[in-house]
Amino acid sequence: MRDIDEMRVMVEIVRHGGLSPAARHLGLAPSVVSDRLARLEHRLGTRLLVRTTRRQTLTEAGRIYLDEATAILAATERMEARVRETVSAPGGMLRVTAPTPFGRLRLAPFIAGFVRRHPGIRVHLTLEDRMADIVGEGFDIAIRGAPVVDTTLTGRRLMESRRVLVASPDYLARRGTPKTPADLAHHDCLVANMTGQCRATWRFGRGDAARPWRIDGLLASSNSELPVQWALAGMGLTQKSLWEVEEAVRAGRLVTVLDAWEPDPVTFYAIHPVSTAHSQKIALFIGDLLQPGGILSDQAAS
């Protein structure tokens, strides 16, 4: 900042023909302008201006400095103007990551409407079930179905979703309906697992009664949507957010079981490394998410 201020003083002295006219233009006292010029010359170790009572003349070093300083100040003004334009009219690329089912079923339709409402903004949506490195991979926003644990990031609560255990009527007719979580040891379970193992940890019960249960699955996939497809095919039971299976439950193709053991709901957050106060496009995206008709609905919150 000091260098820019001294640079601007030097340019204005030459442009206006003296210290006093430059001081009036900059809104500074002549003594302040004189001090800044003296500091600049001292720092550079050379005179930039030869001053007499009648005139001032640029030295060779002064001509070189003036040319470079004029170009730098012009570039700085262009840069600041571009930044101001992005603040007043948000645009550019917004990179978003989300779990596959949430992104496909809820976020993708929302984004289609978002870019229609804000034509200057483009969105790249990455759908994957792993926990991406938000900062390291350059994402602006990540949707997470878990509490915010990274205190260096900002999280905005979007909604809560019930977790339910479901199976097809055909499977339950063949294998019976489990009465407690312990009965799952005698059933075929369908799990999502990123480690290549056919096991998972499901939670049952709420509040002080909540506890994890280790599940050994018959089928597992790194794609979190496949257990739902297997359940629809009568292959076993799977635990999912209600909004992932609600249509199938309503149609009778899946049935909820162990309702008395339903776990605490999962909270979904929009996490972003940059504050909404510093990025209008992020603020617009999250603001629209929270509006009626965004991703929030009776189905999402049920």
Side-chain angles (χ1 to χ4, degrees), residues 2-38:
R2 178 198 64 184
D3 295 348
I4 289 290
D5 288 341
E6 293 173 353
M7 194 179 297
R8 186 168 286 113
V9 161
M10 172 63 181
V11 170
E12 295 301 330
I13 290 172
V14 176
R15 181 176 296 165
H16 293 279
L19 273 67
S20 295
R24 287 193 294 271
H25 177 78
L26 293 169
L28 300 172
S31 60
V32 173
V33 171
S34 179
D35 287 344
R36 290 185 181 177
L37 177 61

PDB file of all heavy atoms in Angstrom, residues 2-38:
ATOM      1  N   ARG A   2       1.967   1.247   0.797  1.00  0.00           N
ATOM      2  CA  ARG A   2       2.877   2.380   0.824  1.00  0.00           C
ATOM      3  C   ARG A   2       3.446   2.649  -0.558  1.00  0.00           C
ATOM      4  O   ARG A   2       3.501   3.791  -1.015  1.00  0.00           O
ATOM      5  CB  ARG A   2       4.001   2.099   1.821  1.00  0.00           C
ATOM      6  CG  ARG A   2       5.045   3.194   1.912  1.00  0.00           C
ATOM      7  CD  ARG A   2       6.313   2.665   2.567  1.00  0.00           C
ATOM      8  NE  ARG A   2       6.925   1.633   1.736  1.00  0.00           N
ATOM      9  CZ  ARG A   2       7.998   0.937   2.106  1.00  0.00           C
ATOM     10  NH1 ARG A   2       8.540   1.132   3.288  1.00  0.00           N
ATOM     11  NH2 ARG A   2       8.506   0.014   1.296  1.00  0.00           N
ATOM     12  N   ASP A   3       3.858   1.583  -1.256  1.00  0.00           N
ATOM     13  CA  ASP A   3       4.460   1.753  -2.576  1.00  0.00           C
ATOM     14  C   ASP A   3       3.478   2.371  -3.553  1.00  0.00           C
ATOM     15  O   ASP A   3       3.833   3.243  -4.353  1.00  0.00           O
ATOM     16  CB  ASP A   3       4.956   0.403  -3.113  1.00  0.00           C
ATOM     17  CG  ASP A   3       6.084  -0.166  -2.258  1.00  0.00           C
ATOM     18  OD1 ASP A   3       6.608   0.581  -1.420  1.00  0.00           O
ATOM     19  OD2 ASP A   3       6.421  -1.352  -2.440  1.00  0.00           O
ATOM     20  N   ILE A   4       2.220   1.923  -3.510  1.00  0.00           N
ATOM     21  CA  ILE A   4       1.208   2.454  -4.419  1.00  0.00           C
ATOM     22  C   ILE A   4       0.955   3.933  -4.122  1.00  0.00           C
ATOM     23  O   ILE A   4       0.835   4.764  -5.040  1.00  0.00           O
ATOM     24  CB  ILE A   4      -0.094   1.644  -4.304  1.00  0.00           C
ATOM     25  CG1 ILE A   4       0.099   0.260  -4.928  1.00  0.00           C
ATOM     26  CG2 ILE A   4      -1.256   2.371  -4.976  1.00  0.00           C
ATOM     27  CD1 ILE A   4       0.238   0.274  -6.432  1.00  0.00           C
ATOM     28  N   ASP A   5       0.862   4.281  -2.838  1.00  0.00           N
ATOM     29  CA  ASP A   5       0.620   5.688  -2.482  1.00  0.00           C
ATOM     30  C   ASP A   5       1.762   6.581  -2.955  1.00  0.00           C
ATOM     31  O   ASP A   5       1.533   7.675  -3.487  1.00  0.00           O
ATOM     32  CB  ASP A   5       0.450   5.815  -0.965  1.00  0.00           C
ATOM     33  CG  ASP A   5      -0.861   5.236  -0.481  1.00  0.00           C
ATOM     34  OD1 ASP A   5      -1.769   5.076  -1.312  1.00  0.00           O
ATOM     35  OD2 ASP A   5      -0.973   4.944   0.719  1.00  0.00           O
ATOM     36  N   GLU A   6       3.000   6.131  -2.751  1.00  0.00           N
ATOM     37  CA  GLU A   6       4.148   6.927  -3.188  1.00  0.00           C
ATOM     38  C   GLU A   6       4.190   7.020  -4.704  1.00  0.00           C
ATOM     39  O   GLU A   6       4.519   8.074  -5.274  1.00  0.00           O
ATOM     40  CB  GLU A   6       5.435   6.308  -2.644  1.00  0.00           C
ATOM     41  CG  GLU A   6       5.556   6.401  -1.122  1.00  0.00           C
ATOM     42  CD  GLU A   6       6.749   5.642  -0.584  1.00  0.00           C
ATOM     43  OE1 GLU A   6       7.416   4.925  -1.384  1.00  0.00           O
ATOM     44  OE2 GLU A   6       7.020   5.731   0.620  1.00  0.00           O
ATOM     45  N   MET A   7       3.842   5.927  -5.368  1.00  0.00           N
ATOM     46  CA  MET A   7       3.817   5.912  -6.830  1.00  0.00           C
ATOM     47  C   MET A   7       2.793   6.917  -7.348  1.00  0.00           C
ATOM     48  O   MET A   7       3.053   7.684  -8.289  1.00  0.00           O
ATOM     49  CB  MET A   7       3.459   4.485  -7.280  1.00  0.00           C
ATOM     50  CG  MET A   7       3.700   4.190  -8.731  1.00  0.00           C
ATOM     51  SD  MET A   7       3.252   2.465  -9.099  1.00  0.00           S
ATOM     52  CE  MET A   7       4.417   1.558  -8.079  1.00  0.00           C
ATOM     53  N   ARG A   8       1.599   6.932  -6.706  1.00  0.00           N
ATOM     54  CA  ARG A   8       0.555   7.851  -7.154  1.00  0.00           C
ATOM     55  C   ARG A   8       0.975   9.301  -6.935  1.00  0.00           C
ATOM     56  O   ARG A   8       0.694  10.181  -7.768  1.00  0.00           O
ATOM     57  CB  ARG A   8      -0.741   7.537  -6.411  1.00  0.00           C
ATOM     58  CG  ARG A   8      -1.941   8.328  -6.897  1.00  0.00           C
ATOM     59  CD  ARG A   8      -3.239   7.789  -6.337  1.00  0.00           C
ATOM     60  NE  ARG A   8      -3.616   6.533  -6.987  1.00  0.00           N
ATOM     61  CZ  ARG A   8      -3.649   5.348  -6.379  1.00  0.00           C
ATOM     62  NH1 ARG A   8      -3.290   5.244  -5.108  1.00  0.00           N
ATOM     63  NH2 ARG A   8      -4.005   4.265  -7.035  1.00  0.00           N
ATOM     64  N   VAL A   9       1.640   9.583  -5.823  1.00  0.00           N
ATOM     65  CA  VAL A   9       2.129  10.936  -5.560  1.00  0.00           C
ATOM     66  C   VAL A   9       3.095  11.376  -6.650  1.00  0.00           C
ATOM     67  O   VAL A   9       3.007  12.496  -7.184  1.00  0.00           O
ATOM     68  CB  VAL A   9       2.794  11.003  -4.167  1.00  0.00           C
ATOM     69  CG1 VAL A   9       3.699  12.225  -4.051  1.00  0.00           C
ATOM     70  CG2 VAL A   9       1.734  11.047  -3.085  1.00  0.00           C
ATOM     71  N   MET A  10       4.059  10.538  -7.005  1.00  0.00           N
ATOM     72  CA  MET A  10       5.047  10.873  -8.024  1.00  0.00           C
ATOM     73  C   MET A  10       4.368  11.187  -9.352  1.00  0.00           C
ATOM     74  O   MET A  10       4.671  12.185 -10.028  1.00  0.00           O
ATOM     75  CB  MET A  10       6.029   9.712  -8.172  1.00  0.00           C
ATOM     76  CG  MET A  10       6.993   9.839  -9.326  1.00  0.00           C
ATOM     77  SD  MET A  10       8.082  11.271  -9.163  1.00  0.00           S
ATOM     78  CE  MET A  10       9.011  11.109 -10.690  1.00  0.00           C
ATOM     79  N   VAL A  11       3.428  10.359  -9.761  1.00  0.00           N
ATOM     80  CA  VAL A  11       2.743  10.559 -11.041  1.00  0.00           C
ATOM     81  C   VAL A  11       1.951  11.856 -11.021  1.00  0.00           C
ATOM     82  O   VAL A  11       1.951  12.632 -12.003  1.00  0.00           O
ATOM     83  CB  VAL A  11       1.839   9.353 -11.348  1.00  0.00           C
ATOM     84  CG1 VAL A  11       0.935   9.651 -12.550  1.00  0.00           C
ATOM     85  CG2 VAL A  11       2.670   8.107 -11.617  1.00  0.00           C
ATOM     86  N   GLU A  12       1.264  12.148  -9.921  1.00  0.00           N
ATOM     87  CA  GLU A  12       0.443  13.357  -9.862  1.00  0.00           C
ATOM     88  C   GLU A  12       1.293  14.625  -9.818  1.00  0.00           C
ATOM     89  O   GLU A  12       0.886  15.678 -10.352  1.00  0.00           O
ATOM     90  CB  GLU A  12      -0.497  13.293  -8.648  1.00  0.00           C
ATOM     91  CG  GLU A  12      -1.535  12.186  -8.724  1.00  0.00           C
ATOM     92  CD  GLU A  12      -2.430  12.294  -9.947  1.00  0.00           C
ATOM     93  OE1 GLU A  12      -2.663  13.427 -10.428  1.00  0.00           O
ATOM     94  OE2 GLU A  12      -2.878  11.248 -10.454  1.00  0.00           O
ATOM     95  N   ILE A  13       2.469  14.566  -9.182  1.00  0.00           N
ATOM     96  CA  ILE A  13       3.359  15.728  -9.170  1.00  0.00           C
ATOM     97  C   ILE A  13       3.752  16.104 -10.598  1.00  0.00           C
ATOM     98  O   ILE A  13       3.702  17.278 -10.996  1.00  0.00           O
ATOM     99  CB  ILE A  13       4.618  15.448  -8.323  1.00  0.00           C
ATOM    100  CG1 ILE A  13       4.260  15.377  -6.839  1.00  0.00           C
ATOM    101  CG2 ILE A  13       5.686  16.515  -8.563  1.00  0.00           C
ATOM    102  CD1 ILE A  13       5.407  14.907  -5.958  1.00  0.00           C
ATOM    103  N   VAL A  14       4.122  15.105 -11.388  1.00  0.00           N
ATOM    104  CA  VAL A  14       4.518  15.367 -12.771  1.00  0.00           C
ATOM    105  C   VAL A  14       3.306  15.798 -13.596  1.00  0.00           C
ATOM    106  O   VAL A  14       3.371  16.741 -14.400  1.00  0.00           O
ATOM    107  CB  VAL A  14       5.186  14.126 -13.386  1.00  0.00           C
ATOM    108  CG1 VAL A  14       5.507  14.357 -14.862  1.00  0.00           C
ATOM    109  CG2 VAL A  14       6.459  13.766 -12.617  1.00  0.00           C
ATOM    110  N   ARG A  15       2.183  15.141 -13.386  1.00  0.00           N
ATOM    111  CA  ARG A  15       0.984  15.428 -14.185  1.00  0.00           C
ATOM    112  C   ARG A  15       0.474  16.848 -13.939  1.00  0.00           C
ATOM    113  O   ARG A  15       0.022  17.533 -14.883  1.00  0.00           O
ATOM    114  CB  ARG A  15      -0.104  14.404 -13.851  1.00  0.00           C
ATOM    115  CG  ARG A  15      -1.399  14.585 -14.628  1.00  0.00           C
ATOM    116  CD  ARG A  15      -2.372  13.469 -14.285  1.00  0.00           C
ATOM    117  NE  ARG A  15      -1.858  12.166 -14.703  1.00  0.00           N
ATOM    118  CZ  ARG A  15      -2.343  10.994 -14.279  1.00  0.00           C
ATOM    119  NH1 ARG A  15      -3.333  10.968 -13.413  1.00  0.00           N
ATOM    120  NH2 ARG A  15      -1.813   9.868 -14.711  1.00  0.00           N
ATOM    121  N   HIS A  16       0.549  17.322 -12.694  1.00  0.00           N
ATOM    122  CA  HIS A  16      -0.011  18.637 -12.362  1.00  0.00           C
ATOM    123  C   HIS A  16       1.045  19.738 -12.276  1.00  0.00           C
ATOM    124  O   HIS A  16       0.711  20.895 -12.005  1.00  0.00           O
ATOM    125  CB  HIS A  16      -0.791  18.539 -11.050  1.00  0.00           C
ATOM    126  CG  HIS A  16      -2.026  17.705 -11.157  1.00  0.00           C
ATOM    127  ND1 HIS A  16      -3.210  18.173 -11.677  1.00  0.00           N
ATOM    128  CD2 HIS A  16      -2.245  16.398 -10.846  1.00  0.00           C
ATOM    129  CE1 HIS A  16      -4.118  17.219 -11.663  1.00  0.00           C
ATOM    130  NE2 HIS A  16      -3.556  16.117 -11.172  1.00  0.00           N
ATOM    131  N   GLY A  17       2.315  19.359 -12.469  1.00  0.00           N
ATOM    132  CA  GLY A  17       3.349  20.370 -12.571  1.00  0.00           C
ATOM    133  C   GLY A  17       3.893  20.902 -11.265  1.00  0.00           C
ATOM    134  O   GLY A  17       4.485  21.985 -11.245  1.00  0.00           O
ATOM    135  N   GLY A  18       3.715  20.204 -10.161  1.00  0.00           N
ATOM    136  CA  GLY A  18       4.281  20.677  -8.905  1.00  0.00           C
ATOM    137  C   GLY A  18       3.669  20.007  -7.709  1.00  0.00           C
ATOM    138  O   GLY A  18       2.622  19.337  -7.797  1.00  0.00           O
ATOM    139  N   LEU A  19       4.308  20.189  -6.534  1.00  0.00           N
ATOM    140  CA  LEU A  19       3.839  19.550  -5.312  1.00  0.00           C
ATOM    141  C   LEU A  19       2.497  20.107  -4.845  1.00  0.00           C
ATOM    142  O   LEU A  19       1.588  19.352  -4.476  1.00  0.00           O
ATOM    143  CB  LEU A  19       4.884  19.708  -4.197  1.00  0.00           C
ATOM    144  CG  LEU A  19       5.984  18.655  -4.117  1.00  0.00           C
ATOM    145  CD1 LEU A  19       6.913  18.736  -5.326  1.00  0.00           C
ATOM    146  CD2 LEU A  19       6.782  18.790  -2.822  1.00  0.00           C
ATOM    147  N   SER A  20       2.360  21.449  -4.885  1.00  0.00           N
ATOM    148  CA  SER A  20       1.120  22.053  -4.377  1.00  0.00           C
ATOM    149  C   SER A  20      -0.100  21.679  -5.226  1.00  0.00           C
ATOM    150  O   SER A  20      -1.151  21.294  -4.684  1.00  0.00           O
ATOM    151  CB  SER A  20       1.275  23.574  -4.292  1.00  0.00           C
ATOM    152  OG  SER A  20       2.255  23.909  -3.330  1.00  0.00           O
ATOM    153  N   PRO A  21      -0.030  21.756  -6.580  1.00  0.00           N
ATOM    154  CA  PRO A  21      -1.189  21.315  -7.377  1.00  0.00           C
ATOM    155  C   PRO A  21      -1.494  19.824  -7.172  1.00  0.00           C
ATOM    156  O   PRO A  21      -2.671  19.426  -7.134  1.00  0.00           O
ATOM    157  CB  PRO A  21      -0.756  21.600  -8.820  1.00  0.00           C
ATOM    158  CG  PRO A  21       0.309  22.644  -8.714  1.00  0.00           C
ATOM    159  CD  PRO A  21       1.019  22.357  -7.438  1.00  0.00           C
ATOM    160  N   ALA A  22      -0.448  18.999  -7.059  1.00  0.00           N
ATOM    161  CA  ALA A  22      -0.672  17.569  -6.824  1.00  0.00           C
ATOM    162  C   ALA A  22      -1.343  17.334  -5.486  1.00  0.00           C
ATOM    163  O   ALA A  22      -2.242  16.490  -5.355  1.00  0.00           O
ATOM    164  CB  ALA A  22       0.654  16.821  -6.893  1.00  0.00           C
ATOM    165  N   ALA A  23      -0.924  18.104  -4.461  1.00  0.00           N
ATOM    166  CA  ALA A  23      -1.521  17.965  -3.133  1.00  0.00           C
ATOM    167  C   ALA A  23      -2.998  18.321  -3.171  1.00  0.00           C
ATOM    168  O   ALA A  23      -3.834  17.640  -2.554  1.00  0.00           O
ATOM    169  CB  ALA A  23      -0.775  18.851  -2.136  1.00  0.00           C
ATOM    170  N   ARG A  24      -3.351  19.406  -3.887  1.00  0.00           N
ATOM    171  CA  ARG A  24      -4.771  19.783  -3.989  1.00  0.00           C
ATOM    172  C   ARG A  24      -5.574  18.688  -4.682  1.00  0.00           C
ATOM    173  O   ARG A  24      -6.700  18.371  -4.266  1.00  0.00           O
ATOM    174  CB  ARG A  24      -4.899  21.108  -4.744  1.00  0.00           C
ATOM    175  CG  ARG A  24      -4.450  22.332  -3.935  1.00  0.00           C
ATOM    176  CD  ARG A  24      -4.899  23.626  -4.605  1.00  0.00           C
ATOM    177  NE  ARG A  24      -4.234  23.818  -5.901  1.00  0.00           N
ATOM    178  CZ  ARG A  24      -3.079  24.434  -6.055  1.00  0.00           C
ATOM    179  NH1 ARG A  24      -2.435  24.930  -4.986  1.00  0.00           N
ATOM    180  NH2 ARG A  24      -2.550  24.591  -7.249  1.00  0.00           N
ATOM    181  N   HIS A  25      -5.026  18.108  -5.749  1.00  0.00           N
ATOM    182  CA  HIS A  25      -5.729  17.052  -6.474  1.00  0.00           C
ATOM    183  C   HIS A  25      -5.930  15.818  -5.601  1.00  0.00           C
ATOM    184  O   HIS A  25      -6.996  15.178  -5.659  1.00  0.00           O
ATOM    185  CB  HIS A  25      -4.947  16.689  -7.734  1.00  0.00           C
ATOM    186  CG  HIS A  25      -5.565  15.551  -8.505  1.00  0.00           C
ATOM    187  ND1 HIS A  25      -6.666  15.715  -9.308  1.00  0.00           N
ATOM    188  CD2 HIS A  25      -5.228  14.219  -8.574  1.00  0.00           C
ATOM    189  CE1 HIS A  25      -6.986  14.557  -9.838  1.00  0.00           C
ATOM    190  NE2 HIS A  25      -6.128  13.633  -9.415  1.00  0.00           N
ATOM    191  N   LEU A  26      -4.938  15.478  -4.808  1.00  0.00           N
ATOM    192  CA  LEU A  26      -5.005  14.266  -3.975  1.00  0.00           C
ATOM    193  C   LEU A  26      -5.722  14.506  -2.652  1.00  0.00           C
ATOM    194  O   LEU A  26      -6.008  13.555  -1.922  1.00  0.00           O
ATOM    195  CB  LEU A  26      -3.583  13.750  -3.698  1.00  0.00           C
ATOM    196  CG  LEU A  26      -2.819  13.207  -4.908  1.00  0.00           C
ATOM    197  CD1 LEU A  26      -1.348  12.997  -4.545  1.00  0.00           C
ATOM    198  CD2 LEU A  26      -3.443  11.912  -5.395  1.00  0.00           C
ATOM    199  N   GLY A  27      -5.990  15.766  -2.320  1.00  0.00           N
ATOM    200  CA  GLY A  27      -6.642  16.066  -1.057  1.00  0.00           C
ATOM    201  C   GLY A  27      -5.716  15.902   0.129  1.00  0.00           C
ATOM    202  O   GLY A  27      -6.167  15.549   1.232  1.00  0.00           O
ATOM    203  N   LEU A  28      -4.428  16.166  -0.085  1.00  0.00           N
ATOM    204  CA  LEU A  28      -3.430  16.032   0.962  1.00  0.00           C
ATOM    205  C   LEU A  28      -2.750  17.369   1.208  1.00  0.00           C
ATOM    206  O   LEU A  28      -2.771  18.261   0.357  1.00  0.00           O
ATOM    207  CB  LEU A  28      -2.363  14.997   0.561  1.00  0.00           C
ATOM    208  CG  LEU A  28      -2.849  13.569   0.283  1.00  0.00           C
ATOM    209  CD1 LEU A  28      -1.703  12.729  -0.293  1.00  0.00           C
ATOM    210  CD2 LEU A  28      -3.414  12.919   1.543  1.00  0.00           C
ATOM    211  N   ALA A  29      -2.112  17.466   2.368  1.00  0.00           N
ATOM    212  CA  ALA A  29      -1.314  18.652   2.656  1.00  0.00           C
ATOM    213  C   ALA A  29      -0.042  18.617   1.815  1.00  0.00           C
ATOM    214  O   ALA A  29       0.505  17.540   1.563  1.00  0.00           O
ATOM    215  CB  ALA A  29      -0.951  18.698   4.140  1.00  0.00           C
ATOM    216  N   PRO A  30       0.464  19.757   1.353  1.00  0.00           N
ATOM    217  CA  PRO A  30       1.711  19.761   0.575  1.00  0.00           C
ATOM    218  C   PRO A  30       2.871  19.095   1.311  1.00  0.00           C
ATOM    219  O   PRO A  30       3.710  18.452   0.682  1.00  0.00           O
ATOM    220  CB  PRO A  30       1.966  21.250   0.345  1.00  0.00           C
ATOM    221  CG  PRO A  30       0.603  21.868   0.383  1.00  0.00           C
ATOM    222  CD  PRO A  30      -0.160  21.101   1.425  1.00  0.00           C
ATOM    223  N   SER A  31       2.891  19.234   2.647  1.00  0.00           N
ATOM    224  CA  SER A  31       3.976  18.606   3.406  1.00  0.00           C
ATOM    225  C   SER A  31       3.910  17.085   3.315  1.00  0.00           C
ATOM    226  O   SER A  31       4.943  16.405   3.283  1.00  0.00           O
ATOM    227  CB  SER A  31       3.916  19.043   4.865  1.00  0.00           C
ATOM    228  OG  SER A  31       2.677  18.674   5.455  1.00  0.00           O
ATOM    229  N   VAL A  32       2.700  16.528   3.266  1.00  0.00           N
ATOM    230  CA  VAL A  32       2.544  15.065   3.144  1.00  0.00           C
ATOM    231  C   VAL A  32       3.051  14.600   1.784  1.00  0.00           C
ATOM    232  O   VAL A  32       3.759  13.592   1.667  1.00  0.00           O
ATOM    233  CB  VAL A  32       1.068  14.654   3.353  1.00  0.00           C
ATOM    234  CG1 VAL A  32       0.883  13.165   3.051  1.00  0.00           C
ATOM    235  CG2 VAL A  32       0.623  14.968   4.773  1.00  0.00           C
ATOM    236  N   VAL A  33       2.698  15.327   0.726  1.00  0.00           N
ATOM    237  CA  VAL A  33       3.159  14.981  -0.623  1.00  0.00           C
ATOM    238  C   VAL A  33       4.678  15.057  -0.692  1.00  0.00           C
ATOM    239  O   VAL A  33       5.349  14.177  -1.253  1.00  0.00           O
ATOM    240  CB  VAL A  33       2.510  15.917  -1.662  1.00  0.00           C
ATOM    241  CG1 VAL A  33       3.141  15.717  -3.037  1.00  0.00           C
ATOM    242  CG2 VAL A  33       1.004  15.679  -1.726  1.00  0.00           C
ATOM    243  N   SER A  34       5.259  16.108  -0.107  1.00  0.00           N
ATOM    244  CA  SER A  34       6.713  16.252  -0.112  1.00  0.00           C
ATOM    245  C   SER A  34       7.391  15.109   0.643  1.00  0.00           C
ATOM    246  O   SER A  34       8.397  14.561   0.186  1.00  0.00           O
ATOM    247  CB  SER A  34       7.093  17.599   0.521  1.00  0.00           C
ATOM    248  OG  SER A  34       8.502  17.733   0.546  1.00  0.00           O
ATOM    249  N   ASP A  35       6.820  14.732   1.793  1.00  0.00           N
ATOM    250  CA  ASP A  35       7.399  13.630   2.580  1.00  0.00           C
ATOM    251  C   ASP A  35       7.350  12.306   1.811  1.00  0.00           C
ATOM    252  O   ASP A  35       8.306  11.526   1.843  1.00  0.00           O
ATOM    253  CB  ASP A  35       6.653  13.485   3.905  1.00  0.00           C
ATOM    254  CG  ASP A  35       6.977  14.609   4.873  1.00  0.00           C
ATOM    255  OD1 ASP A  35       7.976  15.312   4.638  1.00  0.00           O
ATOM    256  OD2 ASP A  35       6.220  14.779   5.851  1.00  0.00           O
ATOM    257  N   ARG A  36       6.226  12.050   1.120  1.00  0.00           N
ATOM    258  CA  ARG A  36       6.102  10.780   0.387  1.00  0.00           C
ATOM    259  C   ARG A  36       7.096  10.729  -0.770  1.00  0.00           C
ATOM    260  O   ARG A  36       7.669   9.680  -1.046  1.00  0.00           O
ATOM    261  CB  ARG A  36       4.674  10.586  -0.114  1.00  0.00           C
ATOM    262  CG  ARG A  36       3.697  10.302   1.016  1.00  0.00           C
ATOM    263  CD  ARG A  36       2.300   9.985   0.508  1.00  0.00           C
ATOM    264  NE  ARG A  36       1.403   9.747   1.621  1.00  0.00           N
ATOM    265  CZ  ARG A  36       0.100   9.509   1.493  1.00  0.00           C
ATOM    266  NH1 ARG A  36      -0.443   9.500   0.268  1.00  0.00           N
ATOM    267  NH2 ARG A  36      -0.642   9.299   2.549  1.00  0.00           N
ATOM    268  N   LEU A  37       7.293  11.832  -1.447  1.00  0.00           N
ATOM    269  CA  LEU A  37       8.269  11.861  -2.522  1.00  0.00           C
ATOM    270  C   LEU A  37       9.675  11.647  -1.961  1.00  0.00           C
ATOM    271  O   LEU A  37      10.478  10.900  -2.540  1.00  0.00           O
ATOM    272  CB  LEU A  37       8.194  13.187  -3.280  1.00  0.00           C
ATOM    273  CG  LEU A  37       9.231  13.363  -4.389  1.00  0.00           C
ATOM    274  CD1 LEU A  37       9.087  12.282  -5.462  1.00  0.00           C
ATOM    275  CD2 LEU A  37       9.107  14.761  -5.009  1.00  0.00           C
ATOM    276  N   ALA A  38       9.978  12.290  -0.828  1.00  0.00           N
ATOM    277  CA  ALA A  38      11.304  12.127  -0.218  1.00  0.00           C
ATOM    278  C   ALA A  38      11.539  10.678   0.203  1.00  0.00           C
ATOM    279  O   ALA A  38      12.645  10.143   0.012  1.00  0.00           O
ATOM    280  CB  ALA A  38      11.432  13.068   0.988  1.00  0.00           C
TER     281      ALA A  38
END
